Amino acid sequence: MRKIIFLITLLLLASVMMTARDYVLASPDGKNVVTVSSGEKAGLSICVDGVEQLSFSGLAMKVGGTRWGLDGKIQSVKRESVDEEVDFVVPRRFSRMRNTYNSLRLRFRGYDFELRSYNDGIAYRFVGKKDAVAEIDESASVVFPSDYECYASLTDNYQNWFEKPYTIAPVSELDSSMVSMCPLMVNTENCHLLFADANLYDYGGFFMRPSRRGFTMEWPKYPATYEMVDWNNKRYAVERYDYIVKCNTERAFPWRVVGIFPKGNDAAMLTSELIWLLSEPAEGDWSWVRPGKTLWDWWMDYNIYGVDFKAGINTETYLYMIDHAADHGYEYLLIDEGWSEHDSATRLNPEVDMPAVCTYAAEKGVGILLWVKWVNLDKEMENVFRMVSAWGVKGLKIDFMDRNDAEMVNWFETVAKMAADYRMLIEFHGSYPNEGMRRKYPNLMTREGVYGAENDKWHRENTPEHHLHIPFIREWVGP
């Protein structure tokens, strides 16, 4: 009997040891060290050069009626080191880059917790193993050892233009009734930390709500009902379900990423491709993708003079602009609002002969890009792509989405896929920041959701200081 009790005790101790344990993962250069704690004190902490940076707690996903977290029983542990070169399908500053990281994968019953440590950051995600559909929710909190200065783009609404300027203040002084869009930057004792998503598909993007010396991560729930706002330009959610998304759980969920950049080497923030590297790669032929400079009619307000026609939204003005673009080395002319009716992308403005404009542009070696409201494109997407492709249009600038819930994220991918089928480029305006989709779909050029030149027309918040923040914070995730 005593022997049986002794064996049971040993088994229970072994179970506790397997359930409650610390796992350490260092970056390839050894500077970034992540500790994953399981069991009752489950969480994740990060140190850089021996200095504590932050800790995560409450990392969990609610999957139907079950909970995934770090406090469950670990069934196995897998470690891996990767050092490889990867190609940019569409070269930018360079055509290749190194992908180097160490990884840790903890297997629980029904799911894995995966962690990667790079020289310029860390990322974690949950990976489901069961082929079943469930409603998903998620939680996580971040706490810093001191009240650090941060750069937060604050809003009181999940639905917005994603253009707010940065509030620079200690974390404790931020308004907790607001949430910050990501990327968000926190300056610790020896590092700049940046927070963002990567490989975001069929899921909502997260916001960060100030909470004393840290943040609580929040996700917009899936829309249930809607209303049209802003002169029928936008469709906003009025009511939402109590879950982020309802999906098959046999999948990898998005990465939660912390970029880590030592103070004194700010240039590293400008060359980091961490979000891109963490995202799904492209497949197929993308040799037709041609980035380039764009002449923009709306910004200049069609303000041309010394001509023998009335400047405006008409064929003559666009032919003139095509000549200007060709003469000055612009690869594209963007034709903004006005070429079609306000509430339709297929009912055209009779003052603009779009087929003739596109034919003339092709003769001059200039590509035509067209602005369109997302709600109009959503009504008849296939018809719009078929029509403008027949004209020879090279891409669309799509506007007024203003959301990053799972429904809108899925819509972005639907557009990217169809545009690729028609070999067309896409620029998203009124858009949430990049989250890696541009790697899988290299025809996605930019996410235009910052204070830019257009804002100079109606306010003075578009300052030089704001422009200097953008490359180091917003642009870290991509253009």
Side-chain angles (χ1 to χ4, degrees):
M1 183 67 180
R2 288 181 179 179
K3 187 175 182 180
I4 293 173
I5 293 173
F6 177 71
L7 289 173
I8 291 174
T9 302
L10 284 178
L11 288 171
L12 288 173
L13 285 172
S15 176
V16 170
M17 289 175 65
M18 197 62 175
T19 302
R21 180 180 168 184
D22 289 348
Y23 299 87
V24 178
L25 182 69
S27 57
D29 63 8
K31 295 183 177 182
N32 304 331
V33 177
V34 190
T35 301
V36 181
S37 300
S38 59
E40 292 182 1
K41 297 183 179 180
L44 186 155
S45 62
I46 303 173
C47 290
V48 178
D49 290 330
V51 179
E52 182 185 2
Q53 302 296 311
L54 63 89
S55 60
F56 281 94
S57 63
L59 301 182
M61 295 187 71
K62 180 182 176 184
V63 182
T66 64
R67 180 182 179 277
W68 298 354
L70 295 175
D71 51 357
K73 183 177 179 180
I74 297 171
Q75 297 181 338
S76 65
V77 179
K78 181 181 179 181
R79 293 181 181 272
E80 185 180 16
S81 294
V82 172
D83 185 11
E84 61 184 1
E85 275 199 337
V86 293
D87 294 320
F88 286 106
V89 176
V90 179
R92 297 193 299 280
R93 293 168 295 199
F94 24 73
S95 60
R96 311 193 81 195
M97 94 167 300
R98 199 128 211 104
N99 184 33
T100 306
Y101 63 87
N102 293 324
S103 71
L104 171 70
R105 194 167 183 132
L106 305 179
R107 172 152 291 185
F108 298 85
R109 184 178 180 180
Y111 65 95
D112 290 356
F113 179 82
E114 185 176 1
L115 176 69
R116 290 186 187 177
S117 186
Y118 293 76
N119 292 342
D120 58 347
I122 70 100
Y124 75 84
R125 68 178 176 182
F126 288 94
V127 181
K129 297 296 182 182
K130 186 177 181 180
D131 182 10
V133 174
E135 296 173 359
I136 309 294
D137 207 354
E138 187 171 355
S139 63
S141 295
V142 181
V143 177
F144 304 99
S146 295
D147 190 15
Y148 294 131
E149 175 189 70
C150 73
Y151 287 61
S153 183
L154 297 173
T155 178
D156 61 358
N157 195 333
Y158 292 146
Q159 301 174 125
N160 64 86
W161 287 6
F162 293 89
E163 291 184 349
K164 300 292 185 181
Y166 295 99
T167 297
I168 306 170
V171 176
S172 66
E173 295 181 11
L174 297 178
D175 185 350
S176 61
S177 70
M178 312 279 276
V179 292
S180 177
M181 297 172 277
C182 291
L184 172 145
M185 185 169 74
V186 176
N187 295 327
T188 69
E189 181 180 330
N190 61 337
C191 288
H192 303 292
L193 305 179
L194 289 161
F195 297 82
D197 302 284
N199 209 42
L200 181 66
Y201 293 99
D202 198 18
Y203 211 81
F206 70 85
F207 293 80
M208 301 184 75
R209 185 178 297 278
S211 176
R212 297 182 181 177
R213 264 201 344 251
F215 294 91
T216 300
M217 296 164 66
E218 297 183 0
W219 287 261
K221 301 299 193 285
Y222 203 89
T225 62
Y226 312 87
E227 65 177 350
M228 299 300 295
V229 299
D230 194 11
W231 298 285
N232 287 334
N233 287 330
K234 306 174 183 182
R235 187 161 70 229
Y236 276 12
V238 177
E239 298 174 304
R240 295 179 181 269
Y241 296 105
D242 61 356
Y243 54 82
I244 298 169
V245 70
K246 188 174 182 178
C247 67
N248 194 302
T249 62
E250 190 179 24
R251 56 169 290 191
F253 288 88
W255 291 102
R256 313 299 170 213
V257 189
V258 182
I260 302 172
F261 303 95
K263 288 183 176 178
N265 186 21
D266 293 356
M269 301 161 72
L270 303 179
T271 57
S272 171
E273 291 287 353
L274 185 56
I275 303 300
W276 188 88
L277 289 169
L278 284 163
S279 299
E280 188 177 342
E283 296 180 354
D285 176 25
W286 298 91
S287 59
W288 52 271
V289 176
R290 180 184 171 224
K293 301 181 296 298
T294 303
L295 183 64
W296 183 22
D297 65 344
W298 184 91
W299 166 244
M300 69 183 71
D301 201 21
Y302 321 99
N303 187 22
I304 57 178
Y305 49 88
V307 294
D308 58 358
F309 57 87
K310 183 178 180 180
I313 303 174
N314 56 50
T315 302
E316 292 82 1
T317 298
Y318 292 132
L319 297 181
Y320 181 91
M321 289 182 177
I322 290 166
D323 287 338
H324 182 87
D327 292 343
H328 293 84
Y330 289 91
E331 287 83 2
Y332 297 100
L333 168 65
L334 169 61
I335 296 179
D336 212 290
E337 184 177 16
W339 62 272
S340 69
E341 291 186 8
H342 180 77
D343 291 326
S344 172
T346 54
R347 295 195 300 270
L348 307 182
N349 179 351
E351 297 297 317
V352 183
D353 186 342
M354 286 304 308
V357 168
C358 292
T359 298
Y360 186 72
E363 294 171 356
K364 290 287 188 172
V366 176
I368 295 296
L369 309 176
L370 295 179
W371 177 94
V372 62
K373 293 191 301 188
W374 88 270
V375 290
N376 288 346
L377 182 61
D378 189 52
K379 292 176 187 175
E380 42 187 340
M381 190 180 298
E382 184 79 53
N383 289 340
V384 173
F385 274 108
R386 186 185 302 113
M387 177 183 73
V388 301
S389 176
W391 297 340
V393 168
K394 301 302 182 184
L396 298 179
K397 173 182 177 179
I398 307 170
D399 206 350
F400 296 134
M401 289 76 70
D402 292 5
R403 290 163 36 203
N404 68 342
D405 51 52
E407 182 183 56
M408 185 56 73
V409 169
N410 289 343
W411 192 83
F412 271 44
E413 186 178 19
T414 297
V415 170
K417 285 179 180 178
M418 188 168 292
D421 290 342
Y422 284 93
R423 297 203 162 193
M424 294 178 65
L425 308 179
I426 294 295
E427 177 198 358
F428 288 121
H429 189 31
S431 165
Y432 61 90
N434 266 298
E435 26 49 349
M437 195 180 288
R438 67 192 178 107
R439 184 176 186 188
K440 185 177 179 180
Y441 300 100
N443 59 323
L444 299 182
M445 293 289 98
T446 62
R447 302 286 183 92
E448 189 179 346
V450 298
Y451 275 170
E454 63 176 351
N455 291 272
D456 290 333
K457 290 190 175 186
W458 50 75
H459 64 63
R460 291 294 176 262
E461 295 181 27
N462 190 27
T463 63
E465 181 183 29
H466 177 67
H467 288 178
L468 289 172
H469 294 157
I470 290 171
F472 296 94
I473 305 176
R474 174 69 179 243
E475 294 293 300
W476 170 61
V477 296

